[in-house]
Amino acid sequence: MNDLIHSLIFGIAQGSIYALIALSFVVIFRATGVLNFAQPALMILGAFATSVFAIDLGLNYFIALVLAMIVIALLSMGIERVAIRPMVGQSTFSAALITVGLFIALYVISTRLFDSKPRTVNDPWGVSALCLGGNLKEEWGFVSCEGGLIIYWHSIGKIVLATIVIAALFIWLARSKYGLAMRATSMDQETALAQGINVGGMFSTSWAISGAIVALAGGLFAANGSVIQSTDALFALVALPALVLGGLDSLKGAVIGGLAIGILMNLTKTYQTAIAPWLGLNFENVVPYIVMIIVLLIRPYGLFGTKEVQRV
Amino acid sequence: MSEFEIKPGLTGASKQLNFENSKGVVRSAIKRGRPTLYTSYETSMQMVNTNTKKVWLGLLILFALSLPFTSSGGWLHAFTLLTIYAIAGIGLNLLMGYAGQISLGHAFFMGLGAYTAAVVAGDPARNALGFGLDLAIALPLAAIIPGIVGLIVAPLATRVRGLYLAVLTLGLLFIGEQVFKTWSGLSGGAGNGRYSAQRILFGIDLNANTYAVGPFIFTPEVVYYLICLTLLIALAILAKNIARSKVGRAFAAVRDRDIAAEVMGVNLYKTKTLAFALSSAYAGIAGALLSILIGTITPEQWNLFMSIDILAIVVIGGVATISGSIIGAAFVVLLPVILRELTQFIPWLSVSSGGLINVFQLQTILFGTLIVVFVTIESRGLFGLWIRIRNYFKAWPFSY
């Protein structure tokens, strides 16, 4: 029972990170119709920036997080202006190819920046944990909770921060003038222009927001009581099945997909070795893709995605 | 029968095209200086449709055949790799360039081909599954089995479209990697790897002997290069034929507007499935050849980065051109070799770690950036660049 609750909470914490990453995909996709495969690389750069501000410059973790969000938002805006803006009106296929190219280039740059040394972000939570109904023991830098339920503070921190940001984003997109302008842009760019909306500005804004969200995801992802390396960007790719699961253009779908994937992965991690060891080590890393394929077979546009209407 | 009589029915032939009642054969006096004078549909659609191209193609093949006798070990390895990557690139180009289906899972099918060959022709006495059969059986199987898996996966691909498909093939790649890692009887297990197929073709052990025919010395490496080159030429001709046939036109129709294609009577399901199966078969052969070249294969090497390398070949070389894929493969394979040679002249570039950046990192950044540059500026890749240069000089000095 404790195992179950523990993996659920851990799953929700991890899932909220995936939800943030998936959201950052959706924000870009709704505004510009581009599936940005470079997002995982931006996430790891966000984690790196957080680490530089927090460790090398010795700033408070939360200030470092905000600064990293600003840096990555600016980088993301630059990418949009240089590489994506010329592709307006061209096929989504070409734009997706561009972002694959960007992903590999940025990923290698982040590998170089990390210099193959794992980094930490000096987060306030560390490995400290709550222990419900048991006695807390700390040895060798690991915390264990005998006979009780262990809840890491960083899990709680992730869930709280992600919830705040996601709620703020939803309200902002639904209520503010900019949110309205963004929705108008995503519906029809020419009509939006005719209404006096600065469509180019909306593209920049959405890429900046998306960059900020993904940097936050990176900074939070790094606060895992352990270290982060550039190869962790590949784990962020798991946000893609989460995204497809919810539907490429659905904000709600991204959050639900992210949480579902996070929980599923952690449940698999806890129970698969006992139930089905023949599936191999680290099987939880492919669970999201299997779930995604099954969902796509039944609903080709994801759970909440808009069905593409074809006009001839 | 009069000179200008046209056969009944919609043949598409016009009176003018039936020049001098020649059936497409024009006297050379008339054809001189007009390389693109076509008088029949057949000559226009010929694989090599001008004399200049014929000459250059012949010279190129001669050059490729002479390479192993003039280059040293490292370069010969690179050229063999080039032919193999070109095969993989042509396969992905059939799917992506012609049929317009984006795929990030190409490396998985290459891995599948490699393991098929390794199981069928692997040494039974070694650490993993192997039946020790001939390569003449293993290589076709290395095409057929990935092709069949492609057929099984294709219904999924026909159901989802566009970007969903890209993510789906990415999923295929990760699931495949997990299967390879877990099934250690097949792959030797994660981190270990296994031996690839034995080089026994038609009962002759290719590793055993060095032959000398006149001034030419055929070492095992040279023989293997020639096998790969022969396969590349055969498979390139096959792909070119597919591309200019009814099937190829169906691919292009599906790529450009799938609903319009369906209205015109193209069977979407069949066309997409065929594209998937063909591309997987090409990938399978390339994977098998690659595994034999490098000797030991690990389950981790068939990853996203290999897929992106093949993607770079297609995009940098030129989407929807067969010769472009070969140019792209040359670029992608030879760039690291050239960069490695350059390390002695560029102080901030190093072979191993240390320095500002190493060769592997620089090459990967270059591939990524070049994908971006080519898609935004010249979407037909190096091949398109070549066409532009050619047209410039063709029209010179009136090239405006």
Side-chain angles (χ1 to χ4, degrees), chain A residues 29 93 97-98 101 104 107-108 112 248 278-281 283 286 289 296-298 300-301 308 310-312, chain B residues 102 156 159 161 163-164 167-168 170-171 174 178 182 257 259 305 311 355-356 361 364 368 371-372 375-376:
Chain A
F29 186 79
F93 175 80
L97 273 183
I98 287 188
I104 192 113
Y107 176 74
V108 172
R112 186 67 197 85
L248 279 182
W278 49 273
L279 287 170
L281 290 170
F283 180 71
V286 294
Y289 296 101
L296 278 185
L297 268 180
I298 303 161
Y301 297 96
E308 200 176 329
Q310 294 273 344
R311 291 198 186 87
V312 185
Chain B
I102 194 167
L156 268 172
R159 199 167 151 71
R161 299 182 57 227
L163 296 170
Y164 284 94
V167 184
L168 192 134
L170 187 72
F174 282 105
Q178 177 75 14
T182 309
R257 198 88 178 94
I259 289 189
F305 298 102
L311 203 72
L356 181 68
Q361 290 165 344
T364 315
I371 290 180
V372 176
V375 176
T376 42

Side-chain angles (χ1 to χ4, degrees), chain B residues 276 294 399:
Chain B
F276 238 90
I294 55 183
S399 35

Side-chain angles (χ1 to χ4, degrees), chain A:
Chain A
M1 192 62 201
N2 281 339
D3 270 355
L4 179 67
I5 296 172
H6 172 250
S7 29
L8 278 179
I9 292 174
F10 216 80
I12 292 171
Q14 216 177 340
S16 52
I17 306 266
Y18 294 141
L20 281 175
I21 303 174
L23 260 182
S24 75
F25 277 101
V26 173
V27 168
I28 286 182
F29 186 79
R30 280 166 63 108
T32 53
V34 176
L35 182 62
N36 184 12
F37 282 99
Q39 251 3 338
L42 287 177
M43 185 211 89
I44 209 70
L45 284 175
F48 177 77
T50 315
S51 173
V52 167
F53 287 125
I55 304 280
D56 299 317
L57 300 179
L59 296 171
N60 179 292
Y61 170 68
F62 294 101
I63 295 170
L65 207 53
V66 173
L67 286 176
M69 284 167 76
I70 294 169
V71 169
I72 301 300
L74 289 175
L75 177 67
S76 178
M77 267 168 87
I79 289 173
E80 190 271 332
R81 192 68 195 81
V82 174
I84 306 293
R85 195 72 66 82
M87 301 307 290
V88 167
Q90 307 235 17
S91 69
T92 50
F93 175 80
S94 315
L97 273 183
I98 287 188
T99 61
V100 172
L102 281 172
F103 164 73
I104 192 113
L106 288 174
Y107 176 74
V108 172
I109 290 173
S110 76
T111 311
R112 186 67 197 85
L113 286 174
F114 271 86
D115 202 13
S116 68
K117 280 195 286 286
R119 299 187 74 110
T120 57
V121 288
N122 198 20
D123 57 289
W125 306 301
V127 290
S128 59
L130 274 177
C131 188
L132 302 179
N135 43 339
L136 198 66
K137 274 209 320 196
E138 188 171 346
E139 46 185 0
W140 309 107
F142 287 103
V143 185
S144 60
C145 180
E146 273 174 19
L149 170 66
I150 188 164
I151 301 172
Y152 289 100
W153 277 108
H154 65 73
S155 296
I156 299 173
K158 280 172 192 172
I159 295 171
V160 170
L161 267 182
T163 313
I164 293 171
V165 171
I166 291 172
L169 184 75
F170 270 60
I171 293 171
W172 188 76
L173 284 177
R175 297 285 168 86
S176 77
K177 204 171 96 183
Y178 286 98
L180 189 63
M182 262 173 157
R183 266 178 288 152
T185 310
S186 72
M187 270 181 178
D188 191 323
Q189 291 166 7
E190 278 184 17
T191 319
L193 272 171
Q195 304 291 324
I197 294 168
N198 179 358
V199 170
M202 282 305 127
F203 281 14
S204 287
T205 317
S206 56
W207 276 72
I209 292 174
S210 159
I213 300 172
V214 89
L216 174 73
L220 287 178
F221 184 74
N224 55 1
S226 173
V227 290
I228 186 162
Q229 317 171 28
S230 58
T231 45
D232 287 334
L234 294 182
F235 291 103
L237 275 176
V238 167
L240 274 171
L243 172 74
V244 169
L245 192 66
L248 279 182
D249 57 352
S250 162
L251 291 166
K252 184 176 69 175
V255 176
I256 293 174
L259 288 174
I261 290 296
I263 293 170
L264 261 174
M265 277 177 82
N266 275 285
L267 286 180
T268 318
K269 195 177 183 175
T270 314
Y271 292 107
Q272 175 248 329
T273 41
I275 296 170
W278 49 273
L279 287 170
L281 290 170
N282 297 325
F283 180 71
E284 68 271 9
N285 291 335
V286 294
V287 165
Y289 296 101
I290 294 172
V291 174
M292 170 189 80
I293 289 177
I294 294 169
V295 169
L296 278 185
L297 268 180
I298 303 161
R299 292 181 65 95
Y301 297 96
L303 292 176
F304 301 99
T306 321
K307 194 170 187 304
E308 200 176 329
V309 180
Q310 294 273 344
R311 291 198 186 87
V312 185

Side-chain angles (χ1 to χ4, degrees), chain B residues 90-124:
Chain B
I90 290 172
L92 187 60
N93 214 340
L94 279 177
L95 179 66
M96 223 175 76
Y98 286 97
Q101 309 295 308
I102 194 167
S103 167
L104 292 171
H106 213 60
F108 163 66
F109 290 105
M110 288 178 75
L112 208 59
Y115 284 120
T116 309
V119 166
V120 175
D123 190 343

